[in-house]
Structures are given as C-alpha cells and as structure tokens.
C-alpha cells in the first residue's frame, strides 16, 4: 500500500510517489528538483546516465528518496519491467510522461529517420510509460497522469511536421484519457508549453517569444496539477495566440505561418 498523500496549505493533495521520464534535463529535471522533499519518493528515467545521476544526487540532497534508471522510453520491455517493479514497492501517485525529442529540417522535410525517431519517442514513449501502470491505477481507483504535449500540437508548423504531429497525438489522447478515467478516480492532465529553456530549444536559431525558464515552467505545472487542470498551457500570451491560430481558417493561417522561420 502506498503512503498517504501530503495535504497542501489549501487542502490540495501533494503526491508522495512520482515517476518522471525525461528527468535528466529541461522541464523533467526542474520538476524532479521541485518535487524533491523529505517523505517523497522520486523515480527518475532518462537516457543520459551522467546527467541523470547529477539530478538524482541533487534531488536526494533535498531530502527525497530516489530511484533512477537509464532507460530509453522506446524500449518497452525494459521500461515495463522497471516501472512495474517500482510500483510494486511504493505505488505511484503521479506519473509524468515527459520524455520527448525534436528535430527540425530548416526549409525542407524532416528525414525519414527523424520522423520515425520523433514518433517513437514522443508517441510510443508515452504509451510505453503509462500502459503498464494503467491497470494498477484502475485497480487502486486513484492516481494522476500528466502527459507532456506542446503548444506546437495545436497547429502544424513548417519544418517540424513530425514534432507537431506527435504532440497533437499526445494532446488529444490525453484529453480523451481524462474523460475515460475520471469516473474511476484517476486524474489526467495535458501539459502544453511554449518555448522553455532546454536542450531542445537551445538548438533553435530564431527568436523564441516568451521564452521561459525550466524552473518557472515546472512551478506552473506543479501548481496546475494540484488543481487537476485538464490543460496546462503556458505562457498565456503564446497559448492565446496559438488558440486563435487553430481557430482561424487554414487558408489564412497558411499565409501567416509560411512567413515564419523554420525550425532547424
């Protein structure tokens, strides 16, 4: 049986046992350090062993109990075995499927290799993360799932077709999953960030409006997860613009978006 959740100052439940994939950098790293505290068990997954170990040590210094494993989220058997073993010891309260990658093509198409790799990590990686644990959450009739989508999933952008498509899948799947699992006591939120400082955005060679630090992004995510927000979108000016773009006629937005610089 898992430990009882902590109750925050406003009566909101705080998770005691968390899984974070993609925890070795960016938002995943920031979330791990934000949630790390005495009485909290953090299970961290990442591909970069050295970076993951650094994050694990920092989180442990903040008082959390840490389990970390270097696993590629596309390796379903390895990830399945790891997650089920951890859940059997201390059941997860919160699962954050954060791992993701991006690639850009400049003015042309993404390569077939990029298309397949982005889809494998961003789509199949989410499936591989939550599928083994869903039956256990359903049996316990409690828990929370957070899926990392993106504002890029609201509308296809030139030069980043695979990334936009993968995040659109995550967004829509998470929204449907929320409706499906809510009657069973399981909360699901979809996270849709704009530009956040990370190894992904560090590759961009164009102005990134409203660029946000990973620490600030993590604070917004933590706050809104405690409130069980269906969509966690930020920063709000970018979220508002993307929502308007998605609602406008495609003929108009094609002309507007065609003038923007392509992701590199």
């Amino acid at each position: 049986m898992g430990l009882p959740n902590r109750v925050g100052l406003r009566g909101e439940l705080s998770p005691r046992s968390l899984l974070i994939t993609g925890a070795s950098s960016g938002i995943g790293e920031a979330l791990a350090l934000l949630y790390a505290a005495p009485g909290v068990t953090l299970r961290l997954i990442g591909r970069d062993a050295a970076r993951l170990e650094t994050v694990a040590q920092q989180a442990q210094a903040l008082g959390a109990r840490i389990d970390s494993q270097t696993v590629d989220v596309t390796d379903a058997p390895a990830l399945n075995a790891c997650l089920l073993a951890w859940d059997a010891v201390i059941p997860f309260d919160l699962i954050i499927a954060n791992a993701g990658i991006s690639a850009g093509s400049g003015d042309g198409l993404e390569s077939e290799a990029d298309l397949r790799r982005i889809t494998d990590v961003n789509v199949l990686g989410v499936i591989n993360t939550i599928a083994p644990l869903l039956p256990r959450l359903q049996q316990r009739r409690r828990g929370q799932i957070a899926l990392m989508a993106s504002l890029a999933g609201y509308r296809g952008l030139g030069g980043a077709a695979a990334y936009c498509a993968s995040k659109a899948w995550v967004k829509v799947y998470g929204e449907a999953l929320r409706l499906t699992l809510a009657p069973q006591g399981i909360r699901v939120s979809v996270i849709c960030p704009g530009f956040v400082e990370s190894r992904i955005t560090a590759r961009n060679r164009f102005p990134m409006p409203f660029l946000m630090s990973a620490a600030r992004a993590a604070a917004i995510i933590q706050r809104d997860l405690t409130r069980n927000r269906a969509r966690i979108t930020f920063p709000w000016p970018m979220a508002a613009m993307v929502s308007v773009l998605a609602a406008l006629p495609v003929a108009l937005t094609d002309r507007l978006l065609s003038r923007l610089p392509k992701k590199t």
Side-chain angles (χ1 to χ4, degrees):
M1 179 177 294
L3 297 172
N5 288 350
R6 296 175 299 167
V7 179
L9 295 177
R10 297 193 302 176
E12 298 158 336
L13 294 180
S14 299
R16 300 292 297 268
S17 175
L18 295 82
L19 168 68
I20 304 173
T21 66
S24 57
S25 65
I27 293 177
E29 174 185 3
L31 284 168
L33 299 181
L34 184 61
Y35 276 107
V40 173
T41 298
L42 286 175
R43 276 67 174 265
L44 308 178
I45 294 287
R47 292 181 299 146
D48 188 315
R51 281 178 169 271
L52 186 63
E53 178 60 24
T54 298
V55 175
Q57 290 178 358
Q58 292 175 336
Q60 189 171 38
L62 293 170
R65 170 183 169 175
I66 305 297
D67 292 310
S68 63
Q69 189 71 40
T70 305
V71 182
D72 191 318
V73 293
T74 66
D75 186 345
L79 189 60
N80 186 303
C82 176
L83 299 184
L84 291 182
W86 281 343
D87 187 75
V89 176
I90 302 178
F92 292 114
D93 298 319
L94 172 59
I95 298 160
I96 304 178
N98 167 71
I101 61 172
S102 178
S105 60
D107 291 329
L109 287 172
E110 293 147 313
S111 68
E112 181 181 350
D114 282 343
L115 172 60
R116 293 185 182 278
R117 180 61 179 165
I118 290 169
T119 303
D120 284 348
V121 174
N122 295 0
V123 176
L124 296 182
V126 167
I127 295 172
N128 294 340
T129 299
I130 66 173
L133 298 170
L134 275 175
R136 296 194 176 190
L137 296 181
Q138 290 175 300
Q139 184 178 28
R140 295 194 288 264
R141 298 189 68 81
R142 63 178 176 82
Q144 186 171 21
I145 298 169
L147 304 183
M148 187 63 66
S150 170
L151 291 179
Y154 279 67
R155 212 290 187 187
L157 303 174
Y163 182 76
C164 292
S166 69
K167 292 305 185 179
W169 186 94
V170 173
K171 173 182 173 292
V172 174
Y173 177 69
E175 290 168 348
L177 199 64
R178 179 182 175 91
L179 292 174
T180 304
L181 295 178
Q184 301 175 47
I186 301 167
R187 298 171 289 164
V188 180
S189 296
V190 175
I191 305 165
C192 299
F195 293 114
V196 176
E197 292 175 354
S198 68
R199 285 189 289 175
I200 289 178
T201 55
R203 298 173 54 187
N204 293 338
R205 296 294 178 263
F206 55 83
M208 292 176 282
F210 310 108
L211 179 65
M212 181 181 291
S213 71
R216 175 58 180 153
I220 292 171
I221 292 167
Q222 183 193 50
R223 180 198 66 196
D224 287 354
L225 285 178
T226 63
R227 298 173 181 176
N228 190 28
R229 290 282 173 83
R231 289 183 191 165
I232 302 174
T233 59
F234 57 88
W236 74 262
M238 179 72 76
M241 287 189 294
V242 169
S243 296
V244 170
L245 279 174
L248 289 173
V250 173
L252 174 60
T253 56
D254 275 354
R255 290 198 296 271
L256 294 172
L257 294 174
S258 65
R259 299 187 178 97
L260 297 180
K262 305 299 189 292
K263 185 173 176 61
T264 58

